Amino acid sequence: KVMRMKVNDQVIVCDNNDNTWLCIINILTNDTVYLSIVDKIIENKELTSKVTIAQGIIYREKMEEVIDKITQLGAYKYIPIQMQRCTAKINDEKMDKKILRMNKIAKEASEQSHRSKLLEVERPISFKELLALSKNNQYDLCLFAYEIMENTVSLANIFKDKKYKNILVLVGPEGGISESEAMLLKENGFVAINLGPRILRTEVAPTYIMAAISSLVEG
Amino acid sequence: KVMRMKVNDQVIVCDNNDNTWLCIINILTNDTVYLSIVDKIIENKELTSKVTIAQGIIYREKMEEVIDKITQLGAYKYIPIQMQRCTAKINDEKMDKKILRMNKIAKEASEQSHRSKLLEVERPISFKELLALSKNNQYDLCLFAYEIMENTVSLANIFKDKKYKNILVLVGPEGGISESEAMLLKENGFVAINLGPRILRTEVAPTYIMAAISSLVEG
């Protein structure tokens, strides 16, 4: 009713198995809408690579902006990370409320960009837990964006000959990734990438990463 | 003095010929700073392609966000365009003030990303004037982002085998590019591009374009 729909209107419905259906409204009651399926929509708007963005905890407004943008750009998951140079804290008591709100932003952005999947915003984890994530075979590629360009590779190089299914990319907080963190990341199999020669603010980096992967993988 | 600099401090100076110099402060007076050159800085942070983003006039906050982002991502120029579906007007009397403010935002973002060139924000022009721009040989590639994906090409395809020096990319306002505008653009040599299969808000599109070009050209 909020959407001013009526009987015989068409709606697009996404199920939990990545399928999208064109449906028609048969009956509208106060608490239930009965639909019949008209057609299956084949068009897939999801990236072939599932990209998880992990980011040092940044201020709420910036985090919300990042989530809005990377959802539009097809990201799969967002995980805030407690890192050395974070000014925000992981055991913030308002965190549950914040995560709820961010998942709502992700839902709106998903609908706006006609995605069949929602981006999932997870509760913050520690840097140690992030390192452990790289070990459990969930990801076939772990990257971190590092502003000290020596010994970093470009995303173009990474995606030149190989395809990846599950990618984890870490971006630092406002203060960046510390040297000791960078060392630990490398020891745990994370590859240092650069995002071009210009220095980007931390809230722009995830957008760059998603746009670059989209253009390199989907182009 | 605002920057709390003193004699013997080092500063980085950019001239109008794309050169960057490492200098040292010799004398500080009330109105003049005397420097001597220590070294020329070779590192070039500019994109090899000059990319001009033209965009249907959008709300001020969004325009400022776009300018901040694309400056960090290496764009060369930003031109607001009066288009059919714009809600804002070209003959806005506050426009001069707005453009001034936007150039200030571009200056700050240039410094933040250590660029040697400032992004230039031009005064708004009409759609007709934009079409004329494509004719004066200033640009060797004119593109427009079109959300109706049929008959569009990807940026990856455009940059696959060829290099371009001066690129003009048009993005629509919130309401998008109209069919008649798209037709005129094609007739005037603009190529329709897509920005991946997901629908992007107009303020995200320029960021996508700049990140994609950076990863495809600099990668």
Side-chain angles (χ1 to χ4, degrees):
Chain A
K1 281 176 187 172
V2 183
M3 295 174 74
R4 296 163 192 274
M5 306 294 282
K6 50 189 189 307
V7 170
N8 284 330
D9 277 356
Q10 286 188 340
V11 289
I12 290 165
V13 178
C14 305
D15 65 22
N16 293 325
N17 300 315
D18 259 346
N19 298 311
T20 311
W21 306 92
L22 180 64
C23 298
I24 199 160
I25 299 177
N26 292 334
I27 308 169
L28 268 173
T29 71
N30 274 337
D31 55 0
T32 317
V33 180
Y34 295 88
L35 304 169
S36 50
I37 292 172
V38 178
D39 209 352
K40 186 171 178 175
I41 299 175
I42 301 296
E43 194 185 26
N44 183 12
K45 305 216 177 249
E46 296 301 315
L47 263 170
T48 48
S49 308
K50 287 181 182 171
V51 183
T52 295
I53 300 286
Q55 183 167 33
I57 298 174
I58 52 175
Y59 288 109
R60 187 176 57 80
E61 293 78 17
K62 287 185 186 173
M63 218 190 268
E64 292 180 358
E65 188 200 320
V66 167
I67 288 164
D68 174 54
K69 299 274 171 6
I70 64 170
T71 303
Q72 292 179 58
L73 294 165
Y76 176 71
K77 204 184 269 187
Y78 182 83
I79 316 176
I81 312 289
Q82 179 67 46
M83 294 177 71
Q84 272 174 31
R85 295 183 183 163
C86 288
T87 40
K89 288 272 178 306
I90 188 171
N91 51 2
D92 184 332
E93 49 187 35
K94 288 183 194 150
M95 196 50 87
D96 277 334
K97 231 176 154 179
K98 281 186 189 167
I99 299 297
L100 211 67
R101 193 184 138 94
M102 285 174 201
N103 274 302
K104 207 182 143 212
I105 290 169
K107 185 166 175 280
E108 281 161 14
S110 293
E111 287 167 1
Q112 131 82 26
S113 52
H114 298 193
R115 284 185 62 181
S116 54
K117 272 213 167 156
L118 289 183
L119 173 128
E120 199 183 319
V121 182
E122 294 210 342
R123 278 191 63 80
I125 60 173
S126 68
F127 185 69
K128 232 177 166 175
E129 289 171 297
L130 172 79
L131 294 180
L133 272 189
S134 69
K135 294 272 169 66
N136 66 7
N137 290 326
Q138 195 187 342
Y139 299 102
D140 50 2
L141 180 65
C142 294
L143 307 171
F144 69 105
Y146 202 40
E147 64 178 53
I148 301 166
M149 274 192 83
E150 286 95 38
N151 305 320
T152 60
V153 289
S154 68
L155 284 167
N157 255 318
I158 287 192
F159 290 99
K160 205 161 61 180
D161 315 299
K162 244 189 119 173
K163 283 181 180 170
Y164 298 93
K165 278 198 169 163
N166 278 291
I167 306 167
L168 174 64
V169 194
L170 173 69
V171 175
E174 284 91 350
I177 295 172
S178 76
E179 269 179 62
S180 60
E181 283 172 335
M183 211 126 79
L184 280 167
L185 285 163
K186 278 181 196 164
E187 282 170 19
N188 284 272
F190 281 76
V191 177
I193 55 164
N194 67 69
L195 308 178
R198 293 160 299 279
I199 309 288
L200 303 179
R201 289 202 186 96
T202 181
E203 65 270 27
V204 185
T207 311
Y208 182 104
I209 291 163
M210 290 311 305
I213 292 179
S214 160
S215 70
L216 293 165
V217 168
E218 300 181 314
Chain B
K1 280 175 188 172
V2 183
M3 294 176 71
R4 299 164 189 275
M5 304 294 285
K6 48 189 193 305
V7 169
N8 285 330
D9 277 356
Q10 288 188 339
V11 287
I12 290 166
V13 178
C14 305
D15 65 22
N16 292 326
N17 300 316
D18 259 345
N19 298 311
T20 311
W21 306 92
L22 180 65
C23 298
I24 198 161
I25 299 176
N26 292 333
I27 306 168
L28 269 173
T29 72
N30 274 338
D31 56 0
T32 318
V33 180
Y34 296 88
L35 304 167
S36 50
I37 290 171
V38 178
D39 208 351
K40 186 171 177 175
I41 298 173
I42 301 296
E43 194 185 24
N44 184 12
K45 307 215 177 248
E46 295 301 315
L47 262 171
T48 48
S49 307
K50 286 181 182 170
V51 183
T52 295
I53 299 286
Q55 184 167 32
I57 298 174
I58 51 176
Y59 288 108
R60 188 177 55 81
E61 294 78 18
K62 287 186 185 173
M63 218 190 268
E64 291 180 1
E65 188 200 319
V66 167
I67 288 163
D68 173 56
K69 299 277 171 6
I70 65 170
T71 304
Q72 293 180 56
L73 294 166
Y76 177 70
K77 204 183 270 186
Y78 182 83
I79 316 175
I81 312 290
Q82 180 67 46
M83 295 176 70
Q84 271 176 29
R85 297 185 182 163
C86 289
T87 39
K89 286 270 177 306
I90 190 171
N91 51 1
D92 183 333
E93 48 187 33
K94 288 181 193 153
M95 195 50 89
D96 277 334
K97 231 176 154 179
K98 281 186 189 168
I99 299 295
L100 213 68
R101 193 186 138 94
M102 285 175 200
N103 274 301
K104 210 183 141 213
I105 289 169
K107 186 165 173 281
E108 281 161 14
S110 294
E111 287 168 1
Q112 131 82 26
S113 52
H114 299 190
R115 286 185 61 180
S116 55
K117 274 214 167 155
L118 290 184
L119 172 128
E120 202 183 315
V121 182
E122 295 209 342
R123 278 190 63 78
I125 60 173
S126 68
F127 185 69
K128 230 177 169 175
E129 288 171 296
L130 172 79
L131 294 179
L133 272 188
S134 69
K135 295 271 169 66
N136 66 5
N137 290 326
Q138 194 186 342
Y139 300 101
D140 50 3
L141 179 65
C142 294
L143 306 172
F144 70 104
Y146 201 41
E147 63 178 54
I148 300 166
M149 274 191 85
E150 286 94 39
N151 304 320
T152 60
V153 289
S154 68
L155 284 166
N157 256 318
I158 288 192
F159 290 100
K160 205 160 62 180
D161 316 297
K162 244 190 119 174
K163 283 178 180 172
Y164 298 93
K165 279 195 169 164
N166 279 290
I167 306 166
L168 175 64
V169 193
L170 173 68
V171 175
E174 285 91 349
I177 295 172
S178 76
E179 267 178 64
S180 60
E181 283 171 336
M183 210 126 79
L184 280 167
L185 286 163
K186 280 182 194 163
E187 279 170 21
N188 283 273
F190 281 76
V191 177
I193 55 165
N194 67 69
L195 309 178
R198 290 161 300 279
I199 309 289
L200 303 179
R201 288 202 187 95
T202 182
E203 65 269 29
V204 185
T207 312
Y208 182 104
I209 291 163
M210 292 310 304
I213 293 179
S214 160
S215 70
L216 294 166
V217 167
E218 301 181 314

